[in-house]
Amino acid sequence: MRGLALLLAVLMIAPEPALLARGHKGDRLYKEAQQAEAAKDYEKALRLYESALNEDSTDPRYDMGAKRARFELSQVYMAAAKGLREKGQLEDAMNTFEKAFATDPANALALQEAQHTSQMISAAKSGATKPGEENLTPAERVTKRTEARIASMLPLPTLKPVTDFISTLKMNNQPIKVLYETVGKYAGVNVIFDNQMQATAKNVNVEISNNTVEEAFDYIALLTKTYWKPVTANTILVTDDNVTKRRDYEDFVVKVFYLKNMTSVQEFQELVTAVRSVTDIRRLFTFNAHNAIVVRGSADAVALAEKLVHDLDKPKSEVVVDFVVMEANSDRTRDISMTLSSGSTNGLSLPIGFSPRNPILSGTTGTTGTTGSNGTTTGTGTGTQTSAISLAQIGKIGFGDFSASLPSALLQAVMSDNTTRVIQKPQVRASDGQKVTLKIGDKVPYATGSFQPGFAGSVGGVSPLVSTQFQFAETGVNVEVTPHVNGADEVTLHVLIDISNISQQVTIGGLQQPVISQRKSEADIRLRNGEVNILGGLTQVQDTKSISGLPGLTYIPVLGHLFGDNNTDKQHRELLIALIPHIVRSQDITPLDTEEMGVGTEQTIHLNFARAHKDEGAPASTAPPAKAPAAEAPTVQPNVTPGGVPALALIPTSVKVALSSQVVEILNAQNVTDLASAGPIHIRWDPKLLRLDQISPGDFMKQDGQNPPIIDIRNDTGEATITVTRTDGVSGSGVVAKLSFTAIGKGSGSIAITDATLKNSKQQVIPVSRPTVPVIVQ
């Protein structure tokens, strides 16, 4: 019967064979799915996980594995679909996005991308997309167009004259418009005037020598109290210089400055305040999230703000400070005792008691008990009795009525020597003006307040400590350093050093409290880079000597040690704190940061730029058209005919060039004798065809100490004069001057010497011919 019952129990407990087989098959599929997932074959892994889940739908491992594989496979389909869309295969990309969504219905992004791809297909079929946008989503097309529009925004136009340098130009008693137009024609710049401009009635004399075109315009503007600005690369606008006109015509720019080295909001605001105060820019806004400044103002004001930001946004100097904390403590104690002692009392103590031989007992007594079979009573008694004697026995009192306890002897000799050395070398690194804190040690709790309950002790196991508040004191080495770097080799340090430790424990109000020994030093010091400084040194010596024993006998030499206690305690404390600063980064101040620059007047900010730097960053669309090759004249001098007639010649003898080309004519003197003065020589041309850019003296009339040539160019009327003189005369043939023209209009005309006066060293006139050169501009 017992065997039958055991068999029935086993059959009831054992699982069904079908369940066991199904569990083993699910685990096998799960392991294979894990291997496929590790090999990143997510499609196979998902199939195996789902097969395992079909075997046992209650196993959470199979369910989690299937969800994980489904997510990974959906992401693989997403990446493939995006690649197809970038290649322009929109139909395949949309099908793959839909497949990703079908694999993982929780992937809402796949459904969105499929919808976007469908919109792209519709836009491509309807022709709504531009070339190059076929593979972009609607959002990407908008972003691309926005970026293209932003990139196409041009800065303020920069003046690009055909000729940027004026060697010599004189204009006598001319009105404002003639002055501007003459320089404009010289430089190939169109000049337009404000129709409300009030021209001054007084004409002005202008003489320009070795200046750029912009400097020439600025010079004229200063003389005539006018204001000019570039409208295009080859056009300027001129108007009156007053607050109203500048407000109407002065162009504003917007620029964003991203700061890299501001580490706090206070520093950021200080820089912004400095820029706003110096530039007087009213529209200046901060964006703290990106440490950015948005500025809107005139071009020169914004350029000045850029200069200030460049100079002020510098990385801070940094300092590494090495601390050396050295502490040495020694404690020596000697205790020698040899004395008669009773109990714990030093010295001699002999207690004497009175014990009379025939006492009279007095007091209360009482007994309780039982009487036994033999008649004896046993029990306990309580009460007090006092020994006394009768008065008749007083005369008979003797030593036998007293008792005494003899003292014991004590011999003690103890010697202790305790030495402690502590060396700590913390190191901190701090930026200029930033406080850095270093704490090495422990936090020690101490009670700061409590209240007394209305009952003593604890009730129900509740400790009275629950009514006590505790705080924590920081012990060990606490260092605070605030450095300020002075130049490249000196540092000013504000240092606070606090070194503390628990010296002992005391009990206050039933609570044990720590007694903290503290050594603190605070100082402001200035040190050189790498200089060692002893910040604080403390030496404390404490000697304690105590003697106790029998009065009088203790002070007997040598023998006094037998009747007393001699204790000697010597404590020695030494503390040394040293610090060494090292500058690891200094301010990166360059000569560019310290140079002064002109910024205009009190009312108007105006900056002057070197041409090479002002043109940097200008878009290609503002560049002037390329110049055609110049029609250079030959530099070979003509043959000199012995005994020939003196003459002036223009070489080449005819000119045929394209528009905007340069024309160079050589004014040559031929067959002259003792030539000391050439001029004034009058030159005339058609101002609608040509503009005379420059007249350069030739080498024929040059000598040491030669008088400077006198040149006057008037492009508005097409006239110019040149006079070249020297101290002694020169004979032969050579170049008197080089004339540089620019073709500014189409048509035909001529370059002619209308008048010329040549004289020898005796101031006698040398008659010469006056040449004319035909010019054709195509």
Side-chain angles (χ1 to χ4, degrees):
M1 293 298 292
R2 286 197 297 269
L4 181 60
L6 180 62
L7 179 60
L8 292 175
V10 170
L11 292 176
M12 292 176 64
I13 296 174
E16 297 182 3
L19 294 176
L20 288 175
R22 186 166 55 183
H24 288 307
K25 184 177 181 180
D27 290 341
R28 179 176 55 80
L29 293 172
Y30 179 74
K31 291 181 180 180
E32 292 179 0
Q34 284 184 321
Q35 295 175 358
E37 186 178 4
K40 297 184 178 181
D41 189 355
Y42 300 112
E43 188 172 357
K44 180 180 179 181
L46 178 59
R47 185 173 63 254
L48 292 172
Y49 278 131
E50 290 178 344
S51 299
L53 195 60
N54 291 332
E55 295 293 332
D56 186 2
S57 60
T58 61
D59 195 328
R61 297 177 302 164
Y62 305 161
D63 187 28
M64 294 299 297
K67 291 180 178 179
R68 185 173 59 250
R70 189 174 292 111
F71 171 79
E72 295 292 348
L73 182 59
S74 178
Q75 295 300 316
V76 171
Y77 288 150
M78 288 284 292
K82 290 181 180 179
L84 292 172
R85 190 170 63 184
E86 291 177 357
K87 295 178 181 179
Q89 302 175 14
L90 301 182
E91 295 287 349
D92 295 339
M94 186 178 67
N95 295 333
T96 308
F97 278 127
E98 292 175 349
K99 190 175 182 180
F101 179 71
T103 302
D104 185 9
N107 189 358
L109 181 61
L111 181 60
Q112 294 177 1
E113 294 295 337
Q115 294 174 352
H116 292 164
T117 308
S118 177
Q119 295 173 1
M120 294 170 60
I121 294 174
S122 300
K125 292 180 179 179
S126 62
T129 59
K130 297 181 180 180
E133 297 181 352
E134 297 84 0
N135 304 333
L136 300 179
T137 64
E140 291 174 343
R141 286 201 302 269
V142 173
T143 302
K144 182 178 180 180
R145 293 175 183 178
T146 301
E147 292 177 350
R149 185 167 57 254
I150 293 174
S152 65
M153 295 180 182
L154 300 178
L156 292 181
T158 303
L159 192 62
K160 300 284 186 177
V162 177
T163 300
D164 191 35
F165 186 78
I166 301 176
S167 59
T168 303
L169 179 61
K170 294 175 63 177
M171 293 175 283
N172 298 324
N173 196 25
Q174 298 295 330
I176 296 176
K177 293 186 177 182
V178 173
L179 299 177
Y180 275 105
E181 289 175 348
T182 300
V183 175
K185 292 180 179 180
Y186 185 95
V189 175
N190 299 320
V191 182
I192 58 177
F193 297 91
D194 181 12
N195 56 3
Q196 297 179 352
M197 178 177 173
Q198 299 177 359
T200 58
K202 183 179 178 181
N203 294 343
V204 181
N205 297 327
V206 174
E207 183 174 354
I208 300 172
S209 178
N210 298 327
N211 293 113
T212 64
V213 173
E214 291 192 7
E215 291 173 344
F217 283 140
D218 290 339
Y219 180 47
I220 296 173
L222 179 63
L223 292 178
T224 59
K225 295 183 180 181
T226 53
Y227 161 70
W228 70 274
K229 73 165 190 176
V231 178
T232 64
N234 62 346
T235 305
I236 66 170
L237 169 69
V238 180
T239 185
D240 295 322
D241 189 5
N242 54 54
V243 176
T244 303
K245 290 300 181 180
R246 282 189 174 270
R247 185 174 58 246
D248 294 341
Y249 288 106
E250 194 169 33
D251 293 320
F252 275 31
V253 297
V254 174
K255 190 165 186 177
V256 180
F257 301 104
Y258 293 94
L259 308 183
K260 301 178 181 179
N261 302 296
M262 298 295 104
T263 57
S264 66
V265 177
Q266 179 182 356
E267 296 173 357
F268 185 41
Q269 294 299 331
E270 287 179 354
L271 186 144
V272 170
T273 302
V275 173
R276 180 184 285 115
S277 301
V278 174
T279 61
D280 287 334
I281 297 177
R282 293 180 297 172
R283 295 177 177 86
L284 190 150
F285 307 94
T286 60
F287 191 70
N288 293 332
H290 291 165
N291 264 13
I293 306 174
V294 182
V295 180
R296 179 177 182 266
S298 64
D300 287 339
V302 173
L304 178 58
E306 183 177 20
K307 172 68 167 57
L308 295 177
V309 170
H310 172 270
D311 294 347
L312 297 178
D313 185 25
K314 299 287 185 181
K316 286 188 174 183
S317 303
E318 293 187 26
V319 180
V320 171
V321 183
D322 294 324
F323 288 89
V324 181
V325 180
M326 295 171 285
E327 183 177 5
N329 302 327
S330 64
D331 191 353
R332 294 183 180 182
T333 303
R334 186 185 66 182
D335 191 359
I336 300 177
S337 299
M338 185 176 181
T339 181
L340 298 175
S341 175
S342 176
S344 60
T345 306
N346 292 330
L348 183 61
S349 175
L350 296 176
I352 299 175
F354 179 63
S355 56
R357 286 167 290 183
N358 297 311
I360 297 176
L361 301 178
S362 62
T364 60
T365 60
T367 59
T368 60
T370 59
T371 302
S373 60
N374 56 359
T376 304
T377 301
T378 61
T380 60
T382 62
T384 60
Q385 292 184 347
T386 303
S387 297
I389 60 173
S390 64
L391 294 177
Q393 300 293 329
I394 293 178
K396 297 179 180 181
I397 296 175
F399 285 103
D401 299 315
F402 295 91
S403 63
S405 298
L406 295 179
S408 60
L410 175 64
L411 176 60
Q412 177 177 324
V414 179
M415 178 74 178
S416 65
D417 188 351
N418 185 14
T419 301
T420 303
R421 289 183 175 86
V422 179
I423 299 178
Q424 294 179 331
K425 295 182 178 180
Q427 186 183 77
V428 296
R429 178 166 179 164
S431 298
D432 188 6
Q434 300 295 321
K435 181 175 72 173
V436 63
T437 302
L438 175 67
K439 296 182 180 181
I440 304 175
D442 303 320
K443 285 189 174 183
V444 180
Y446 63 94
T448 58
S450 62
F451 62 90
Q452 182 68 28
F455 50 86
S458 60
V459 178
V462 180
S463 172
L465 293 179
V466 297
S467 61
T468 303
Q469 294 84 33
F470 290 90
Q471 291 188 3
F472 293 87
E474 295 179 344
T475 61
V477 178
N478 299 320
V479 178
E480 290 184 0
V481 180
T482 305
H484 179 67
V485 179
N486 306 306
D489 57 353
E490 288 192 354
V491 183
T492 298
L493 299 175
H494 177 79
V495 184
L496 174 62
I497 298 181
D498 185 357
I499 301 175
S500 58
N501 62 290
I502 300 176
S503 59
Q504 59 179 330
Q505 299 280 348
V506 296
T507 302
I508 301 175
L511 296 176
Q512 195 174 26
Q513 300 290 317
V515 177
I516 299 176
S517 176
Q518 185 182 51
R519 279 151 290 180
K520 188 174 182 180
S521 177
E522 184 173 4
D524 289 286
I525 54 178
R526 181 164 179 163
L527 301 174
R528 290 186 177 275
N529 185 27
E531 181 180 352
V532 181
N533 179 73
I534 305 299
L535 183 61
L538 174 64
T539 302
Q540 179 181 359
V541 178
Q542 180 178 351
D543 292 344
T544 304
K545 185 175 183 180
S546 61
I547 299 175
S548 62
L550 294 176
L553 298 178
T554 305
Y555 294 99
I556 299 175
V558 181
L559 297 178
H561 294 288
L562 302 176
F563 303 98
D565 182 6
N566 191 332
N567 182 275
T568 302
D569 187 6
K570 293 185 177 181
Q571 297 181 355
H572 188 77
R573 304 282 188 269
E574 291 186 4
L575 176 65
L576 181 66
I577 303 172
L579 57 87
I580 310 168
H582 304 281
I583 300 176
V584 295
R585 175 183 291 169
S586 60
Q587 284 184 307
D588 185 18
I589 299 178
T590 63
L592 179 62
D593 301 327
T594 59
E595 290 180 354
E596 66 178 17
M597 61 179 180
V599 295
T601 63
E602 176 70 20
Q603 300 295 329
T604 304
I605 295 178
H606 178 71
L607 303 182
N608 296 312
F609 295 89
R611 168 59 60 182
H613 298 285
K614 187 168 184 178
D615 290 344
E616 288 182 358
S621 58
T622 62
K627 298 179 182 179
E632 289 285 350
T635 57
V636 180
Q637 296 182 2
N639 296 329
V640 178
T641 303
V645 178
L648 287 177
L650 287 174
I651 303 173
T653 57
S654 63
V655 175
K656 186 177 182 180
V657 296
L659 185 65
S660 300
S661 298
Q662 287 187 341
V663 178
V664 178
E665 285 288 331
I666 301 298
L667 178 60
N668 209 64
Q670 300 177 353
N671 303 320
V672 294
T673 302
D674 192 21
L675 178 61
S677 174
I681 301 175
H682 295 272
I683 309 165
R684 189 173 182 84
W685 67 93
D686 188 349
K688 296 181 180 179
L689 299 181
L690 301 175
R691 181 188 64 246
L692 180 58
D693 299 328
Q694 187 176 2
I695 300 178
S696 302
D699 296 334
F700 186 61
M701 299 287 291
K702 284 185 177 180
Q703 67 169 5
D704 294 338
Q706 176 187 358
N707 297 326
I710 301 174
I711 300 173
D712 184 9
I713 300 176
R714 300 183 180 184
N715 276 298
D716 56 334
T717 59
E719 296 178 341
T721 59
I722 179 173
T723 302
V724 184
T725 60
R726 54 181 291 152
T727 306
D728 55 348
V730 61
S731 301
S733 300
V735 178
V736 177
K738 178 180 178 182
L739 311 179
S740 299
F741 293 89
T742 299
I744 61 174
K746 295 183 178 181
S748 59
S750 64
I751 301 173
I753 304 298
T754 59
D755 191 12
T757 302
L758 276 62
K759 296 182 179 180
N760 57 21
S761 59
K762 299 179 180 179
Q763 295 302 309
Q764 296 175 348
V765 176
I766 303 176
V768 291
S769 59
R770 302 177 181 87
T772 299
V773 175
V775 177
I776 298 176
V777 179
Q778 299 177 341

